[in-house]
Amino acid sequence: MSETTVGFLILGIGILAVLALVFAITVRAGGGSGTRPKPPPGVHLPPPSALPVIFSVGAALLGAGLIFKPDEPYALPVIDVISGVMQPLVGLPGLAVVAYATWAWVRAAGHEWHEVESGPPHDGPGH
């Protein structure tokens, strides 16, 4: 067996173990049976957002940058050091997109939190 095959085998077993754990926790908690509880007043779905998709694209670019390392060194010393870890032309933009999406997502959640806290109470008959 090659080293790559063993790595993929370990990765596959790890993924299956995590899925089995999530399934066991879900079944134990009673998920899927009975009626779903109602959320407390003021809890609602967030507005539609492209941030999860942007984050996923950035994560894919970052992952591709980590996988596909360059064979030849770069002329700039800083880029050459980075190229020891990842492909800078793919990984650095991916890292920037992930950082931006994380920042924007946390900021959007904070705005929504403040809107819910400062809004009118949701006990009225119209809600």
Side-chain angles (χ1 to χ4, degrees), residues 72-106:
E72 297 181 14
Y74 284 90
L76 293 172
V78 173
I79 301 294
D80 190 41
V81 170
I82 293 172
S83 70
V85 178
M86 71 174 133
Q87 170 61 265
L89 300 176
V90 177
L92 290 178
L95 184 62
V97 170
V98 165
Y100 165 75
T102 303
W103 172 77
W105 209 343
V106 168

mmCIF file of all heavy atoms in Angstrom, residues 72-106:
data_model
loop_
_atom_site.group_PDB
_atom_site.id
_atom_site.type_symbol
_atom_site.label_atom_id
_atom_site.label_comp_id
_atom_site.label_asym_id
_atom_site.label_seq_id
_atom_site.Cartn_x
_atom_site.Cartn_y
_atom_site.Cartn_z
ATOM 1 N N GLU A 72 8.961 25.069 -8.710
ATOM 2 C CA GLU A 72 10.123 25.945 -8.820
ATOM 3 C C GLU A 72 9.990 27.120 -7.858
ATOM 4 O O GLU A 72 8.888 27.594 -7.593
ATOM 5 C CB GLU A 72 10.248 26.457 -10.259
ATOM 6 C CG GLU A 72 10.481 25.343 -11.246
ATOM 7 C CD GLU A 72 10.619 25.858 -12.664
ATOM 8 O OE1 GLU A 72 10.790 27.079 -12.839
ATOM 9 O OE2 GLU A 72 10.530 25.044 -13.572
ATOM 10 N N PRO A 73 11.130 27.630 -7.344
ATOM 11 C CA PRO A 73 11.070 28.758 -6.413
ATOM 12 C C PRO A 73 10.688 30.055 -7.115
ATOM 13 O O PRO A 73 10.892 30.212 -8.311
ATOM 14 C CB PRO A 73 12.491 28.834 -5.853
ATOM 15 C CG PRO A 73 13.339 28.169 -6.868
ATOM 16 C CD PRO A 73 12.486 27.134 -7.533
ATOM 17 N N TYR A 74 10.148 30.967 -6.342
ATOM 18 C CA TYR A 74 9.782 32.291 -6.848
ATOM 19 C C TYR A 74 10.949 33.249 -6.652
ATOM 20 O O TYR A 74 11.823 33.036 -5.812
ATOM 21 C CB TYR A 74 8.542 32.827 -6.129
ATOM 22 C CG TYR A 74 7.255 32.186 -6.586
ATOM 23 C CD1 TYR A 74 6.772 31.035 -5.974
ATOM 24 C CD2 TYR A 74 6.532 32.727 -7.621
ATOM 25 C CE1 TYR A 74 5.589 30.445 -6.394
ATOM 26 C CE2 TYR A 74 5.344 32.146 -8.045
ATOM 27 C CZ TYR A 74 4.894 31.007 -7.435
ATOM 28 O OH TYR A 74 3.721 30.428 -7.845
ATOM 29 N N ALA A 75 10.949 34.349 -7.406
ATOM 30 C CA ALA A 75 12.033 35.326 -7.332
ATOM 31 C C ALA A 75 11.974 36.136 -6.032
ATOM 32 O O ALA A 75 13.009 36.456 -5.449
ATOM 33 C CB ALA A 75 11.995 36.255 -8.538
ATOM 34 N N LEU A 76 10.764 36.490 -5.584
ATOM 35 C CA LEU A 76 10.631 37.271 -4.355
ATOM 36 C C LEU A 76 10.802 36.355 -3.136
ATOM 37 O O LEU A 76 10.170 35.294 -3.050
ATOM 38 C CB LEU A 76 9.259 37.938 -4.290
ATOM 39 C CG LEU A 76 8.997 39.019 -5.326
ATOM 40 C CD1 LEU A 76 7.541 39.444 -5.277
ATOM 41 C CD2 LEU A 76 9.903 40.205 -5.074
ATOM 42 N N PRO A 77 11.646 36.742 -2.169
ATOM 43 C CA PRO A 77 11.896 35.870 -1.009
ATOM 44 C C PRO A 77 10.643 35.588 -0.180
ATOM 45 O O PRO A 77 10.458 34.465 0.286
ATOM 46 C CB PRO A 77 12.923 36.653 -0.185
ATOM 47 C CG PRO A 77 13.517 37.639 -1.109
ATOM 48 C CD PRO A 77 12.493 37.921 -2.161
ATOM 49 N N VAL A 78 9.785 36.582 -0.010
ATOM 50 C CA VAL A 78 8.577 36.377 0.801
ATOM 51 C C VAL A 78 7.648 35.367 0.127
ATOM 52 O O VAL A 78 7.134 34.449 0.766
ATOM 53 C CB VAL A 78 7.846 37.721 1.032
ATOM 54 C CG1 VAL A 78 6.517 37.499 1.726
ATOM 55 C CG2 VAL A 78 8.721 38.670 1.810
ATOM 56 N N ILE A 79 7.457 35.536 -1.170
ATOM 57 C CA ILE A 79 6.594 34.608 -1.914
ATOM 58 C C ILE A 79 7.220 33.217 -1.949
ATOM 59 O O ILE A 79 6.516 32.207 -1.893
ATOM 60 C CB ILE A 79 6.342 35.131 -3.346
ATOM 61 C CG1 ILE A 79 5.671 36.500 -3.312
ATOM 62 C CG2 ILE A 79 5.505 34.155 -4.153
ATOM 63 C CD1 ILE A 79 4.274 36.498 -2.756
ATOM 64 N N ASP A 80 8.550 33.154 -1.986
ATOM 65 C CA ASP A 80 9.228 31.855 -1.997
ATOM 66 C C ASP A 80 9.009 31.109 -0.679
ATOM 67 O O ASP A 80 8.823 29.894 -0.669
ATOM 68 C CB ASP A 80 10.720 32.048 -2.268
ATOM 69 C CG ASP A 80 11.419 30.734 -2.532
ATOM 70 O OD1 ASP A 80 10.831 29.892 -3.244
ATOM 71 O OD2 ASP A 80 12.545 30.550 -2.031
ATOM 72 N N VAL A 81 9.007 31.825 0.428
ATOM 73 C CA VAL A 81 8.742 31.199 1.730
ATOM 74 C C VAL A 81 7.303 30.688 1.777
ATOM 75 O O VAL A 81 7.035 29.576 2.233
ATOM 76 C CB VAL A 81 9.011 32.202 2.885
ATOM 77 C CG1 VAL A 81 8.507 31.661 4.205
ATOM 78 C CG2 VAL A 81 10.486 32.532 2.960
ATOM 79 N N ILE A 82 6.365 31.502 1.291
ATOM 80 C CA ILE A 82 4.960 31.094 1.266
ATOM 81 C C ILE A 82 4.768 29.888 0.350
ATOM 82 O O ILE A 82 3.967 28.998 0.642
ATOM 83 C CB ILE A 82 4.063 32.270 0.825
ATOM 84 C CG1 ILE A 82 4.092 33.363 1.888
ATOM 85 C CG2 ILE A 82 2.629 31.812 0.586
ATOM 86 C CD1 ILE A 82 3.411 34.635 1.481
ATOM 87 N N SER A 83 5.529 29.833 -0.747
ATOM 88 C CA SER A 83 5.367 28.728 -1.697
ATOM 89 C C SER A 83 5.820 27.400 -1.114
ATOM 90 O O SER A 83 5.509 26.343 -1.662
ATOM 91 C CB SER A 83 6.118 29.020 -2.998
ATOM 92 O OG SER A 83 7.515 28.964 -2.782
ATOM 93 N N GLY A 84 6.526 27.421 0.002
ATOM 94 C CA GLY A 84 6.857 26.174 0.688
ATOM 95 C C GLY A 84 5.653 25.556 1.365
ATOM 96 O O GLY A 84 5.621 24.365 1.642
ATOM 97 N N VAL A 85 4.654 26.382 1.628
ATOM 98 C CA VAL A 85 3.440 25.912 2.298
ATOM 99 C C VAL A 85 2.288 25.730 1.317
ATOM 100 O O VAL A 85 1.527 24.781 1.408
ATOM 101 C CB VAL A 85 3.030 26.908 3.408
ATOM 102 C CG1 VAL A 85 1.744 26.476 4.082
ATOM 103 C CG2 VAL A 85 4.139 27.067 4.412
ATOM 104 N N MET A 86 2.161 26.679 0.371
ATOM 105 C CA MET A 86 1.033 26.632 -0.561
ATOM 106 C C MET A 86 1.387 27.334 -1.862
ATOM 107 O O MET A 86 2.389 28.034 -1.940
ATOM 108 C CB MET A 86 -0.200 27.279 0.056
ATOM 109 C CG MET A 86 -0.114 28.777 0.203
ATOM 110 S SD MET A 86 -1.673 29.445 0.774
ATOM 111 C CE MET A 86 -1.105 30.516 2.060
ATOM 112 N N GLN A 87 0.544 27.152 -2.854
ATOM 113 C CA GLN A 87 0.654 27.868 -4.124
ATOM 114 C C GLN A 87 0.149 29.288 -3.884
ATOM 115 O O GLN A 87 -1.036 29.493 -3.661
ATOM 116 C CB GLN A 87 -0.183 27.161 -5.181
ATOM 117 C CG GLN A 87 -0.360 27.891 -6.489
ATOM 118 C CD GLN A 87 0.940 28.158 -7.202
ATOM 119 O OE1 GLN A 87 1.481 29.224 -7.033
ATOM 120 N NE2 GLN A 87 1.418 27.194 -7.962
ATOM 121 N N PRO A 88 1.041 30.279 -3.881
ATOM 122 C CA PRO A 88 0.617 31.634 -3.507
ATOM 123 C C PRO A 88 -0.413 32.263 -4.445
ATOM 124 O O PRO A 88 -1.245 33.045 -3.997
ATOM 125 C CB PRO A 88 1.902 32.453 -3.525
ATOM 126 C CG PRO A 88 3.008 31.518 -3.749
ATOM 127 C CD PRO A 88 2.461 30.206 -4.147
ATOM 128 N N LEU A 89 -0.388 31.924 -5.715
ATOM 129 C CA LEU A 89 -1.311 32.544 -6.660
ATOM 130 C C LEU A 89 -2.745 32.070 -6.469
ATOM 131 O O LEU A 89 -3.678 32.722 -6.932
ATOM 132 C CB LEU A 89 -0.862 32.265 -8.093
ATOM 133 C CG LEU A 89 0.537 32.801 -8.451
ATOM 134 C CD1 LEU A 89 0.918 32.382 -9.862
ATOM 135 C CD2 LEU A 89 0.592 34.293 -8.288
ATOM 136 N N VAL A 90 -2.936 30.955 -5.799
ATOM 137 C CA VAL A 90 -4.281 30.438 -5.533
ATOM 138 C C VAL A 90 -4.614 30.540 -4.045
ATOM 139 O O VAL A 90 -5.719 30.918 -3.671
ATOM 140 C CB VAL A 90 -4.403 28.973 -6.012
ATOM 141 C CG1 VAL A 90 -5.761 28.395 -5.692
ATOM 142 C CG2 VAL A 90 -4.105 28.862 -7.490
ATOM 143 N N GLY A 91 -3.657 30.214 -3.194
ATOM 144 C CA GLY A 91 -3.903 30.165 -1.760
ATOM 145 C C GLY A 91 -4.084 31.514 -1.101
ATOM 146 O O GLY A 91 -4.944 31.684 -0.238
ATOM 147 N N LEU A 92 -3.282 32.509 -1.502
ATOM 148 C CA LEU A 92 -3.413 33.828 -0.881
ATOM 149 C C LEU A 92 -4.748 34.506 -1.201
ATOM 150 O O LEU A 92 -5.378 35.068 -0.295
ATOM 151 C CB LEU A 92 -2.229 34.719 -1.270
ATOM 152 C CG LEU A 92 -0.885 34.308 -0.649
ATOM 153 C CD1 LEU A 92 0.226 35.221 -1.131
ATOM 154 C CD2 LEU A 92 -0.959 34.287 0.858
ATOM 155 N N PRO A 93 -5.208 34.480 -2.461
ATOM 156 C CA PRO A 93 -6.561 35.010 -2.699
ATOM 157 C C PRO A 93 -7.632 34.226 -1.934
ATOM 158 O O PRO A 93 -8.594 34.810 -1.424
ATOM 159 C CB PRO A 93 -6.755 34.875 -4.205
ATOM 160 C CG PRO A 93 -5.384 34.858 -4.765
ATOM 161 C CD PRO A 93 -4.542 34.175 -3.731
ATOM 162 N N GLY A 94 -7.476 32.915 -1.838
ATOM 163 C CA GLY A 94 -8.431 32.110 -1.069
ATOM 164 C C GLY A 94 -8.439 32.496 0.391
ATOM 165 O O GLY A 94 -9.495 32.611 1.020
ATOM 166 N N LEU A 95 -7.249 32.735 0.956
ATOM 167 C CA LEU A 95 -7.147 33.164 2.349
ATOM 168 C C LEU A 95 -7.803 34.527 2.550
ATOM 169 O O LEU A 95 -8.508 34.751 3.543
ATOM 170 C CB LEU A 95 -5.678 33.206 2.772
ATOM 171 C CG LEU A 95 -5.386 33.545 4.217
ATOM 172 C CD1 LEU A 95 -5.986 32.500 5.143
ATOM 173 C CD2 LEU A 95 -3.888 33.656 4.433
ATOM 174 N N ALA A 96 -7.613 35.431 1.594
ATOM 175 C CA ALA A 96 -8.231 36.754 1.675
ATOM 176 C C ALA A 96 -9.756 36.655 1.602
ATOM 177 O O ALA A 96 -10.468 37.338 2.354
ATOM 178 C CB ALA A 96 -7.704 37.645 0.554
ATOM 179 N N VAL A 97 -10.268 35.800 0.731
ATOM 180 C CA VAL A 97 -11.724 35.648 0.596
ATOM 181 C C VAL A 97 -12.314 35.022 1.860
ATOM 182 O O VAL A 97 -13.369 35.450 2.343
ATOM 183 C CB VAL A 97 -12.065 34.805 -0.662
ATOM 184 C CG1 VAL A 97 -13.529 34.419 -0.688
ATOM 185 C CG2 VAL A 97 -11.698 35.566 -1.918
ATOM 186 N N VAL A 98 -11.636 34.030 2.430
ATOM 187 C CA VAL A 98 -12.118 33.408 3.671
ATOM 188 C C VAL A 98 -12.117 34.432 4.803
ATOM 189 O O VAL A 98 -13.072 34.509 5.584
ATOM 190 C CB VAL A 98 -11.267 32.166 4.034
ATOM 191 C CG1 VAL A 98 -11.506 31.727 5.463
ATOM 192 C CG2 VAL A 98 -11.560 31.027 3.084
ATOM 193 N N ALA A 99 -11.058 35.220 4.905
ATOM 194 C CA ALA A 99 -10.990 36.237 5.962
ATOM 195 C C ALA A 99 -12.095 37.270 5.791
ATOM 196 O O ALA A 99 -12.765 37.644 6.768
ATOM 197 C CB ALA A 99 -9.619 36.905 5.948
ATOM 198 N N TYR A 100 -12.319 37.741 4.558
ATOM 199 C CA TYR A 100 -13.376 38.715 4.310
ATOM 200 C C TYR A 100 -14.753 38.126 4.638
ATOM 201 O O TYR A 100 -15.575 38.773 5.298
ATOM 202 C CB TYR A 100 -13.370 39.194 2.853
ATOM 203 C CG TYR A 100 -14.647 39.901 2.490
ATOM 204 C CD1 TYR A 100 -14.898 41.194 2.936
ATOM 205 C CD2 TYR A 100 -15.640 39.265 1.741
ATOM 206 C CE1 TYR A 100 -16.086 41.841 2.646
ATOM 207 C CE2 TYR A 100 -16.823 39.900 1.443
ATOM 208 C CZ TYR A 100 -17.048 41.184 1.897
ATOM 209 O OH TYR A 100 -18.228 41.798 1.608
ATOM 210 N N ALA A 101 -15.015 36.909 4.173
ATOM 211 C CA ALA A 101 -16.330 36.299 4.399
ATOM 212 C C ALA A 101 -16.577 36.075 5.889
ATOM 213 O O ALA A 101 -17.690 36.294 6.373
ATOM 214 C CB ALA A 101 -16.435 34.979 3.632
ATOM 215 N N THR A 102 -15.553 35.662 6.621
ATOM 216 C CA THR A 102 -15.704 35.470 8.061
ATOM 217 C C THR A 102 -16.017 36.794 8.745
ATOM 218 O O THR A 102 -16.932 36.887 9.578
ATOM 219 C CB THR A 102 -14.427 34.859 8.656
ATOM 220 O OG1 THR A 102 -14.148 33.623 7.989
ATOM 221 C CG2 THR A 102 -14.567 34.615 10.138
ATOM 222 N N TRP A 103 -15.264 37.832 8.392
ATOM 223 C CA TRP A 103 -15.483 39.158 8.975
ATOM 224 C C TRP A 103 -16.900 39.661 8.658
ATOM 225 O O TRP A 103 -17.605 40.158 9.538
ATOM 226 C CB TRP A 103 -14.425 40.125 8.440
ATOM 227 C CG TRP A 103 -14.663 41.548 8.810
ATOM 228 C CD1 TRP A 103 -14.416 42.136 10.024
ATOM 229 C CD2 TRP A 103 -15.236 42.558 7.986
ATOM 230 N NE1 TRP A 103 -14.783 43.455 9.984
ATOM 231 C CE2 TRP A 103 -15.291 43.746 8.743
ATOM 232 C CE3 TRP A 103 -15.697 42.576 6.680
ATOM 233 C CZ2 TRP A 103 -15.789 44.925 8.226
ATOM 234 C CZ3 TRP A 103 -16.187 43.758 6.172
ATOM 235 C CH2 TRP A 103 -16.233 44.912 6.948
ATOM 236 N N ALA A 104 -17.311 39.535 7.393
ATOM 237 C CA ALA A 104 -18.632 40.031 6.985
ATOM 238 C C ALA A 104 -19.751 39.228 7.646
ATOM 239 O O ALA A 104 -20.785 39.787 8.038
ATOM 240 C CB ALA A 104 -18.761 39.974 5.465
ATOM 241 N N TRP A 105 -19.567 37.928 7.781
ATOM 242 C CA TRP A 105 -20.589 37.074 8.386
ATOM 243 C C TRP A 105 -20.766 37.410 9.867
ATOM 244 O O TRP A 105 -21.891 37.529 10.368
ATOM 245 C CB TRP A 105 -20.191 35.619 8.212
ATOM 246 C CG TRP A 105 -21.320 34.648 8.143
ATOM 247 C CD1 TRP A 105 -22.610 34.839 8.522
ATOM 248 C CD2 TRP A 105 -21.245 33.312 7.661
ATOM 249 N NE1 TRP A 105 -23.340 33.699 8.309
ATOM 250 C CE2 TRP A 105 -22.525 32.751 7.784
ATOM 251 C CE3 TRP A 105 -20.225 32.542 7.156
ATOM 252 C CZ2 TRP A 105 -22.802 31.443 7.411
ATOM 253 C CZ3 TRP A 105 -20.504 31.237 6.779
ATOM 254 C CH2 TRP A 105 -21.777 30.703 6.900
ATOM 255 N N VAL A 106 -19.661 37.581 10.572
ATOM 256 C CA VAL A 106 -19.735 37.934 11.996
ATOM 257 C C VAL A 106 -20.358 39.317 12.153
ATOM 258 O O VAL A 106 -21.181 39.558 13.049
ATOM 259 C CB VAL A 106 -18.335 37.865 12.639
ATOM 260 C CG1 VAL A 106 -18.326 38.497 14.014
ATOM 261 C CG2 VAL A 106 -17.862 36.422 12.708
#
